[in-house]
Amino acid sequence: MEPLHLEATDCTPYVCLDKDKNLFEIAGKSKPSNVIEFYDPILNWFDRYMESPNAKTLLSIRLEYLNSASAKVINFVIKKLERAIKQGKEASVLWHYSIHEPDMKELGDNYSIMYNIPFEFKSYD
């Protein structure tokens, strides 16, 4: 499976989705002008990945900022991880948040309640 690598811009996050290296990361700011256009390749990649996920999948999310449309799509990404668990695999989310942005911690808390996926929370300054 081909990895998906997207460099960060002022409006879009860095994305590294690499099954062979077992790296799954989304980091930066997410406020693309066209959320569907930006996130469709990511959602499609996860759909293909879930056909045969690794034994363990740890999705690291470190978003400094995301708009409401991006938050909705991140919700879909996390939901896709549930499929790995249903297949008997391990999946979890490492949610990074700034100690100066309590809303980001709260968003991660909300996601962790919504889905049957273990979350680990790490704060940074």
Side-chain angles (χ1 to χ4, degrees):
M1 176 170 197
E2 288 295 316
L4 177 64
H5 294 281
L6 303 172
E7 293 300 320
T9 69
D10 290 339
C11 298
T12 61
Y14 164 79
V15 176
C16 176
L17 303 175
D18 192 325
K19 178 180 180 169
D20 293 341
K21 293 182 180 176
N22 209 31
L23 292 172
F24 311 94
E25 182 178 6
I26 301 172
K29 296 177 184 172
S30 186
K31 52 180 181 172
S33 57
N34 187 330
V35 173
I36 293 170
E37 181 179 311
F38 179 77
Y39 278 101
D40 260 358
I42 296 165
L43 294 169
N44 291 332
W45 190 94
F46 270 105
D47 283 338
R48 288 188 312 277
Y49 173 74
M50 287 303 156
E51 292 171 7
S52 179
N54 294 348
K56 288 185 179 183
T57 304
L58 172 64
L59 174 60
S60 175
I61 300 176
R62 183 180 179 148
L63 292 169
E64 302 162 24
Y65 172 82
L66 70 162
N67 60 17
S68 57
S70 295
K72 190 172 188 176
V73 178
I74 292 296
N75 181 46
F76 295 146
V77 170
I78 295 169
K79 182 174 179 56
K80 288 181 184 296
L81 289 179
E82 279 188 320
R83 286 177 50 194
I85 292 172
K86 290 176 183 174
Q87 295 175 35
K89 311 288 185 176
E90 291 183 37
S92 59
V93 174
L94 176 56
W95 186 269
H96 302 265
Y97 65 95
S98 168
I99 60 172
H100 305 291
E101 294 292 336
D103 290 347
M104 290 303 292
K105 169 67 165 73
E106 183 178 339
L107 181 61
D109 285 335
N110 290 340
Y111 289 143
S112 72
I113 292 167
M114 292 170 63
Y115 299 107
N116 186 29
I117 298 173
F119 268 68
E120 180 181 346
F121 292 91
K122 287 207 173 192
S123 63
Y124 62 91
D125 194 3

